[in-house]
Amino acid sequence: KQEVTQIPAALSVPEGENLVLNCSFTDSAIYNLQWFRQDPGKGLTSLLLIQSSQREQTSGRLNASLDKSSGRSTLYIAASQPGDSATYLCAVEEYGNKLVFGAGTILRVKS
Amino acid sequence: KAGVTQTPRYLIKTRGQQVTLSCSPISGHRSVSWYQQTPGQGLQFLFEYFSETQRNKGNFPGRFSGRQFSNSRSEMNVSTLELGDSALYLCASSLVTSGVSSTDTQYFGPGTRLTVL
């Protein structure tokens, strides 16, 4: 059974800092890995998708890496801003479009 | 392009009742998935429909069911509601042109907040 773990559970940083969120998964038989953000009481917004054959993806200040063999992914956020405050969720995709989520990292960026 | 829409946004029911939630995917998307989000269990997969067929099902009791229509809209139904069914129910859609996704981002709707009293 796939299990996804995210570390740290919560993070508070001053504005402008670069930060790294970690995600690990137990079964490497995945189709892809996705990072989402969720604002309080809202749905999920897709940030980055890394296919199982890829090593990383970049979008603006975000960079996500994937090491499938070791079951790890990191999300790097450069020059953090207060608007980045949200819960960040990592999910691996299994057959049939099934996403298995981690518990998330609650990020607070202080101005 | 309109995003994923879910109706209703909020719902209050009592134990024993049943409820139907609706999801309209992004135009052209053929796959619709449903998730339950609770503070204790996080996000859990309920089921996925592709071209009106349920392809995958999570570990939920038979009280949870769903269906997909020919226009890809989907509904999920929960019968005999229990207090523990109180949750945010999220729907996601993706393109899935080949039937098996490796490249298609899943787009989530805003969710339906169900409260069972």
Side-chain angles (χ1 to χ4, degrees), chain A residues 31-32 34 36 38 41-46 49-52 89 93-103, chain B residues 9 31 33 35 37 43 45 48 55-56 88 90 94 96 100-106 108-111 113:
Chain A
Y31 286 95
N32 61 50
Q34 299 179 49
F36 297 89
Q38 185 175 32
K42 302 289 180 62
L44 277 62
T45 300
S46 177
L49 179 149
I50 312 176
Q51 297 177 46
S52 61
L89 293 153
E93 182 170 327
E94 299 184 329
Y95 173 76
N97 259 9
K98 176 184 177 181
L99 292 176
V100 180
F101 285 87
Chain B
R9 293 292 313 280
S31 169
S33 302
Y35 293 84
Q37 186 175 31
L43 274 153
F45 174 79
E48 186 252 8
R55 284 199 304 179
N56 207 348
L88 180 66
L90 293 164
S94 61
V96 192
V100 176
S101 170
S102 68
T103 62
D104 300 314
T105 298
Q106 294 201 33
F108 281 78
R113 172 75 61 186

